[in-house]
């Protein structure tokens, strides 16, 4: 099954004319894609700290800058002509850490406010976000595709950052908790369909051989 291009895929195409020149400039400075990945993670950690202290707007803008910085690592690797499996692995792991660190900031904030509901919703948001990525990775490891769903990583930040700017952390966590877990379920069902198709083809081939 060939899924349609994701929102993230379309963004890469739309902003290629901006990403490529900046990525080329960063390469000329001698920076490596992995360095940019780690800089994005450090920035996310700073943003999470501001969020944990209740400074939502400041944290949101720091997160925005960090996400934009992190967008250049893949571009830089492609322009260098040396995209590697390890580089992609580092980027993927860093993205997961970045999201979990961000949610840790929200968890700390809700704990300091003694907001039990906020804590539970944030935990559900973190779980959904991790599951979205895990389902995709596990599916691809089995030879399936799972690039579907309404709330992938970019969309999660498009929900989170604007709502934090307007000091609405609970609503941000709630939307991600609901739609993130819905996205994980969408991917599970997508893989289930592919599994049934694979089994059907295997039966047909077996019958044909006999």
């Amino acid at each position: 099954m060939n899924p349609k291009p994701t929102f993230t895929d379309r963004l890469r195409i739309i902003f290629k004319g901006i990403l490529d020149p900046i990525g080329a400039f960063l390469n000329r400075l001698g920076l490596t894609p992995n360095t940019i990945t780690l800089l994005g993670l450090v920035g996310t950690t700073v943003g999470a700290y501001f969020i944990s202290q209740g400074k939502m707007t400041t944290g949101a803008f720091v997160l925005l800058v960090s996400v934009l910085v992190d967008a250049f690592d893949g571009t830089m690797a492609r322009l260098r002509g040396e995209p590697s499996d390890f580089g992609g692995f580092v980027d993927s792991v860093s993205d997961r850490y970045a999201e979990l660190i961000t949610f840790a900031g929200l968890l700390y904030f809700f704990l300091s406010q003694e907001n039990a509901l906020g804590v539970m919703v944030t935990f559900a948001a973190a779980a959904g976000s991790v599951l979205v990525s895990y389902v995709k990775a596990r599916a691809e490891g089995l030879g399936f595709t799972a690039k579907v769903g309404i709330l992938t990583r970019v969309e999660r930040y498009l929900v989170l950052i604007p709502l934090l700017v307007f000091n609405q952390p609970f609503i941000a966590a709630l939307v991600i908790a609901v739609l993130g877990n819905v996205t994980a379920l969408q991917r599970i069902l997508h893989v289930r369909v592919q599994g049934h198709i694979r089994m059907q083809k295997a039966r047909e081939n077996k019958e044909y051989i006999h």
Side-chain angles (χ1 to χ4, degrees):
M1 297 178 68
N2 296 315
K4 296 179 181 179
T6 64
F7 179 67
T8 303
D9 294 332
R10 290 193 288 268
L11 283 180
R12 288 197 184 102
I13 294 171
I14 292 171
F15 290 103
K16 187 175 184 294
I18 297 175
L19 293 174
D20 281 10
I22 298 177
F25 173 72
L26 294 173
N27 279 331
R28 288 196 296 273
L29 290 179
L31 296 172
T32 67
N34 284 345
T35 299
I36 295 299
T37 298
L38 294 177
L39 282 175
L41 181 58
V42 170
T44 297
T45 303
V46 174
Y49 170 77
F50 283 115
I51 291 169
S52 72
Q53 301 303 303
K55 300 176 181 178
M56 299 299 167
T57 300
T58 302
F61 281 115
V62 175
L63 281 182
L64 177 61
V65 172
S66 301
V67 171
L68 292 176
V69 168
D70 187 55
F72 292 109
D73 51 8
T75 299
M76 291 170 65
R78 176 173 54 79
L79 292 174
R80 284 167 171 257
E82 54 182 41
S84 67
D85 291 337
F86 179 71
F89 172 78
V90 170
D91 184 47
S92 181
V93 172
S94 174
D95 288 346
R96 303 295 77 74
Y97 267 118
E99 286 196 85
L100 289 175
I101 289 170
T102 301
F103 287 123
L106 276 174
L107 273 173
Y108 185 92
F109 169 75
F110 287 125
L111 283 169
S112 68
Q113 299 294 309
E114 298 183 353
N115 186 336
L117 183 59
V119 169
M120 290 188 291
V121 168
T122 302
F123 175 80
S129 297
V130 170
L131 277 169
V132 167
S133 300
Y134 175 77
V135 171
K136 178 176 177 288
R138 189 74 181 98
E140 290 176 346
L142 295 172
F144 299 116
T145 63
K147 292 179 67 174
V148 298
I150 58 177
L151 205 71
T152 60
R153 180 172 177 264
V154 171
E155 286 97 328
R156 290 196 292 274
Y157 278 113
L158 289 176
V159 169
L160 180 65
I161 291 174
L163 286 171
L164 290 181
V165 167
F166 292 103
N167 198 30
Q168 297 296 328
F170 180 80
I171 295 176
L174 181 62
V175 172
I176 294 173
V178 174
L179 297 184
N181 283 284
V182 167
T183 301
L185 181 60
Q186 286 178 302
R187 291 186 167 186
I188 291 169
L189 294 175
H190 185 70
V191 172
R192 182 172 181 267
V193 170
Q194 293 173 79
H196 284 174
I197 293 173
R198 179 182 290 181
M199 288 177 62
Q200 182 63 34
K201 288 183 177 179
R203 289 195 191 99
E204 290 173 356
N205 288 338
K206 186 175 180 180
E207 291 173 359
Y208 176 76
I209 292 173
H210 287 302

